[in-house]
Amino acid sequence: MYVYADNAATTALSPKALEAMLPYFTETYGNASSLHSPGQRAAEGLLWARETVAAALGAEAREIYFTGCGSEADNQAILTGAALGARKGKKHIISTAFEHHAVLHTLKKLEKEGYEVTLLPVHENGVVTAEDVAAAIRPDTALVTIMFVNNEIGTVQPIADIAKVCREKGVLCHTDAVQAVGHIPVNVKDLGVDMLSLAAHKFHGPKGVGALYARRGIALVNVIEGGQQERGKRGGTENIPGIVGMAAALQEATTDLEQHMAYVTGMRERLIEGLSKIPHSRLNGDREKRVPGTVNFCFEGIEGEGLLLWLDAKGVAASSGSACTSGSLDPSHVLLALGLPHEIAHGSLRLSVDSWNTPEEIDHILQVVPEVVKYLRDMSPVWDELERGVTPHLI
Amino acid sequence: MPLYSETVMDHFQNPRNVGEMPDADGIGEVGNAVCGDIMRMYIKVRDGIITDVKFKTFGCGSAIASSSMATEMIKGKPITEALELSNKAVAEALNGLPAHKLHCSVLAEEAVRAAVKDYYDKSGIAYDPAMFGCDSCAHEHDQAPAEE
């Protein structure tokens, strides 16, 4: 059995989405900007996709801008908030320490251009509070950008409360909802956000497509200059097959969402219960305020990359926030933001399941993970010292 | 192309000489848990020959494979030869390591040297301290992040 438990990284393309996409690669290949009938048929597909995505998010079709990925949507939203603020002399932006790099690196760039950025702490449970946001807002705050669901630990942020605070103080509010859309209810009007980013491949749509919701009245700043595509806010011939695939996948993911959430939550609870039985393990992030499918554990005394390689060999695809997998000397910035020491953060494991997974697959994960953790601990000098009491257990 | 060579995967999944040695003549431990890898190497020495080696490693796949390969390369060899073991030789024996994992082979070389130094210290064998100028965890990590 091979279990794909890395759906927060990306998902398999849904057959329905594929079916919706295929004609746009072959017979309906026109450019949506063309006047002839092949072009107009492509334009109809684009319109259908825009209306479908808008309906799924509780937005108007004209408020949806298709992009090349979630990162592009994040970039565009933040650069827009920054530019709109600067016109009024506001150059302060609030975010959190555990955002995705699409957000953090855009903010870094803005800092170099003279903006001031406040990164709020996310507390031990990985949840920022609306009170934290309210306290950080200043007269010169232009934008608050906070992720809806954290990609590594799965905690859900109180975006509606945060957006309310922003509205009261006249500050723009963006949320990176890449890990939320298709997994929990996301309605832009209920949330009250000004901008929201999503990516198709996180909910069984194709890779290479994202979207930005921007409330009517928000004049987006272009990331890509070009033609009149996307109301002139994103140049480049539209990726019609991808966009149609995104809409079809979102329609499917949001149909019977409550039912899917209950099913996936049940599997997640089994994972948490089962993995908590491993001695000196720790669930990262709030126990309750989390997306249905994501769990993140730390296992003391082992390193994440070896864990992932062994899990892969034994039939489980997962991910980790260890330095060897994060691409730097430091382990994941998300785990460090929770206050975890480096040596603990190196031994992290993220499992992300969704409605495509089965209870039998959970059985397999729960059989394999404890075996691999024990095996790696048996060869770990760190575990040896912890067990002999040379160094104290931290978890 | 997969991240690791077949040899690396073999030594990772079937590590040679893994374990402890209660009556070791020399024990070397290098690395740092904060950095994410620690190697501990045990050696048994008879008449200047390393008769047995064991290791324990906390670290990524290439750290475990590098430790395993290094133990194979010094087992049964004279100490003088073990001291000549270079990280390059370990990496080559593994059929190569990705550039950002070369520090794992450096750590293996350092672990061998640390074990020999400990053996010299415990046995009262005189040596030139300059032979063992090593600073663990000063290695560079340079890897493109796996983003999502």
Side-chain angles (χ1 to χ4, degrees):
Chain A
M1 180 185 264
Y2 193 92
V3 182
Y4 185 76
D6 201 17
N7 288 284
T10 195
T11 58
L13 184 67
S14 119
K16 274 189 189 165
L18 177 63
E19 197 190 334
M21 292 168 75
L22 285 175
Y24 292 92
F25 285 111
T26 51
E27 65 259 34
T28 316
Y29 52 80
N31 185 322
S33 302
S34 302
L35 271 180
H36 47 64
S37 45
Q40 288 311 297
R41 281 199 296 277
E44 278 167 28
L46 181 60
L47 179 64
W48 172 81
R50 201 181 307 280
E51 284 173 347
T52 303
V53 170
L57 299 176
E60 293 173 35
R62 57 181 291 177
E63 295 173 316
I64 302 299
Y65 298 83
F66 292 113
T67 64
C69 53
S71 292
E72 186 192 330
D74 283 340
N75 273 252
Q76 190 164 17
I78 293 167
L79 295 176
T80 295
L84 295 178
R87 282 181 209 163
K88 297 178 192 164
K90 297 177 172 185
K91 296 186 83 171
H92 175 237
I93 300 172
I94 297 169
S95 189
T96 74
F98 74 167
E99 296 296 311
H100 191 273
H101 286 124
V103 169
L104 290 177
H105 289 176
T106 305
L107 294 175
K108 271 260 174 308
K109 183 167 93 170
L110 288 170
E111 269 184 328
K112 283 182 194 149
E113 292 171 10
Y115 287 82
E116 216 183 308
V117 174
T118 300
L119 295 183
L120 297 174
V122 295
H123 308 285
E124 203 197 346
N125 67 344
V127 181
V128 68
T129 67
E131 291 74 34
D132 293 337
V133 176
I137 289 178
R138 315 190 309 211
D140 65 338
T141 303
L143 173 74
V144 169
T145 172
I146 293 177
M147 68 199 328
F148 201 158
V149 171
N150 181 271
N151 52 318
E152 285 188 37
I153 59 172
T155 49
V156 179
Q157 309 304 312
I159 296 301
D161 298 341
I162 290 168
K164 187 161 175 277
V165 167
C166 292
R167 247 188 343 272
E168 284 165 5
K169 306 236 182 181
V171 176
L172 284 178
C173 181
H174 164 250
T175 186
D176 168 358
V178 164
Q179 296 285 345
V181 173
H183 300 283
I184 56 174
V186 177
N187 180 299
V188 293
K189 302 299 172 201
D190 293 348
L191 289 172
V193 292
D194 298 298
M195 291 177 282
L196 178 145
S197 314
L198 57 151
H201 74 109
K202 304 293 192 190
F203 48 80
H204 299 286
K207 292 162 186 67
V209 200
L212 176 61
Y213 155 80
R215 175 177 58 74
R216 267 172 84 165
I218 304 263
L220 289 179
V221 168
N222 283 49
V223 173
I224 299 179
E225 298 292 348
Q228 279 307 302
Q229 296 90 354
E230 301 305 301
R231 299 161 56 82
K233 299 302 179 190
R234 203 270 185 183
T237 300
E238 301 88 347
N239 169 10
I240 308 279
I243 289 168
V244 167
M246 177 184 209
L250 185 55
Q251 196 172 43
E252 190 181 0
T254 50
T255 306
D256 304 324
L257 179 62
E258 300 285 330
Q259 229 173 301
H260 284 158
M261 284 174 66
Y263 172 71
V264 178
T265 302
M267 292 192 289
R268 179 198 73 195
E269 289 304 294
R270 284 191 55 214
L271 282 176
I272 293 177
E273 274 170 37
L275 297 177
S276 298
K277 288 179 190 156
I278 296 176
H280 304 287
S281 64
R282 174 191 199 272
L283 172 71
N284 294 313
D286 196 276
R287 181 71 179 77
E288 306 297 330
K289 293 170 187 161
R290 57 175 55 248
V291 78
T294 299
V295 297
N296 187 309
F297 268 83
C298 280
F299 304 110
E300 206 175 9
I302 61 170
E303 196 279 336
E305 196 214 65
L307 180 61
L308 295 192
L309 289 172
W310 263 116
L311 289 179
D312 181 49
K314 290 185 171 274
V316 177
S319 67
S320 169
S322 78
C324 275
T325 57
S326 78
S328 69
L329 197 62
D330 289 326
S332 137
H333 69 289
V334 173
L335 299 178
L336 295 182
L338 300 182
L340 289 180
H342 279 62
E343 51 269 49
I344 299 296
H346 283 303
S348 77
L349 173 69
R350 179 186 70 182
L351 295 162
S352 46
V353 295
D354 74 6
S355 58
W356 285 39
N357 290 101
T358 66
E360 292 72 33
E361 291 181 333
I362 304 301
D363 294 340
H364 183 67
I365 294 172
L366 289 178
Q367 188 199 323
V368 165
V369 174
E371 285 171 12
V372 174
V373 169
K374 183 179 183 309
Y375 172 82
L376 290 172
R377 279 177 170 173
D378 282 347
M379 73 156 72
S380 163
V382 175
W383 181 250
D384 177 49
E385 293 200 343
L386 291 166
E387 285 295 277
R388 284 193 290 120
V390 178
T391 47
H393 280 287
L394 296 176
I395 54 175
Chain B
M1 204 189 111
L3 175 63
Y4 292 132
S5 71
E6 275 181 34
T7 316
V8 173
M9 285 308 288
D10 176 36
H11 277 263
F12 166 64
Q13 294 194 334
N14 310 291
R16 281 61 148 177
N17 308 308
V18 67
E20 290 175 47
M21 195 188 288
D23 57 344
D25 295 316
I27 304 174
E29 186 168 304
V30 295
N32 184 328
V34 173
C35 302
D37 27 35
I38 292 188
M39 280 181 202
R40 187 193 293 165
M41 210 163 276
Y42 306 84
I43 54 171
K44 190 103 197 121
V45 184
R46 284 291 168 274
D47 305 324
I49 307 283
I50 295 174
T51 54
D52 199 10
V53 196
K54 292 274 186 242
F55 81 90
K56 278 201 161 189
T57 290
F58 161 88
C60 57
S62 58
I64 291 169
S66 296
S67 320
S68 167
M69 181 56 87
T71 60
E72 286 277 274
M73 293 172 83
I74 63 165
K75 199 171 177 179
K77 298 281 166 58
I79 279 197
T80 45
E81 250 180 71
L83 283 174
E84 280 166 20
L85 180 76
S86 69
N87 76 296
K88 202 161 162 264
V90 173
E92 276 169 12
L94 288 167
N95 277 329
L97 285 171
H100 60 275
K101 298 286 188 178
L102 281 172
H103 71 268
C104 293
S105 60
V106 175
L107 219 52
E109 175 195 319
E110 288 174 351
V112 170
R113 298 173 71 82
V116 170
K117 181 176 182 294
D118 184 57
Y119 163 69
Y120 282 167
D121 287 340
K122 282 179 178 158
S123 321
I125 298 172
Y127 58 89
D128 174 8
M131 284 166 60
F132 298 102
C134 89
D135 38 87
S136 43
C137 212
H139 47 263
E140 285 291 315
H141 290 243
D142 182 21
Q143 184 187 2
E147 294 288 357
E148 52 202 43

